[in-house]
Structure formats: structure tokens, C-alpha cells
Amino acid sequence: MLTATTRCETPNAGKYLAQLCKHFAHLEVTHGDGHGQCRFSCGTATMNAGLEGLDITVEAADTGALTETKQVIESHLVRFAFRENLQPLAWRD
């Protein structure tokens, strides 16, 4: 299993975590107490919201699936946080 991590610095981490989990509710999603997990066909995203940011870990079986999972989470997060003008996330594989 391949893994990548990133952090989105934002005071609205809890709000964006809730929005992501709600948006992907048609998938296998768990959410509560500043923690959420979404299982996609390409991989899994685990998110933890703190006061100053959202920590995200994605896991997938291969490089292509890892890239797809990162893109799904990042594109939706950027869309939800449009008022903050977020920069691309710095992923660490």
C-alpha cells in the first residue's frame, strides 16, 4: 500500500472536513470528533481537523490510484475553500 500525506493550513479545517464527508456520503464514509475517512474505488483518504489545519493521509494500491485519490480530495477541498484562495497542496509520498 502506498501512502501520501499533506496539511492544509486553515482555521476552517473542521468545516471542510464535514463538507468533504457530506459530499462523499454516497461512499463508505466515517466522520466524527474532528476525524473523517472516505473510501473511494481508487484509495482511502483519512483526515484530521485541528484548530489550524486539516491533516490528510491517502492510501492506495499503486501510483496511479494514489495520484487519483490525491486529486479527488484536493480538487474538492479547493472548491469548498474557494474564499481562502488555497494554493496547491504539498504532498509527501
Side-chain angles (χ1 to χ4, degrees):
M1 194 65 75
L2 300 176
T3 303
T5 60
T6 193
R7 178 173 176 83
C8 176
E9 298 289 339
T10 176
N12 297 307
K15 173 182 158 182
Y16 298 141
L17 170 64
Q19 286 178 310
L20 286 163
C21 290
K22 182 178 178 180
H23 181 77
F24 295 118
H26 62 284
L27 303 170
E28 184 179 337
V29 173
T30 57
H31 174 249
D33 287 339
H35 174 77
Q37 186 175 70
C38 302
R39 292 186 188 274
F40 305 98
S41 60
C42 52
T44 301
T46 303
M47 300 162 285
N48 292 295
L51 295 176
E52 297 177 4
L54 182 64
D55 294 308
I56 306 166
T57 301
V58 296
E59 295 180 326
D62 58 55
T63 303
L66 186 68
T67 299
E68 183 179 353
T69 307
K70 291 189 299 188
Q71 289 174 338
V72 167
I73 288 295
E74 184 167 351
S75 67
H76 284 81
L77 179 59
V78 168
R79 192 175 318 149
F80 296 146
F82 68 93
R83 287 185 181 96
E84 292 190 43
N85 193 27
L86 294 180
Q87 299 303 308
L89 299 176
W91 291 95
R92 294 176 300 283
D93 293 351

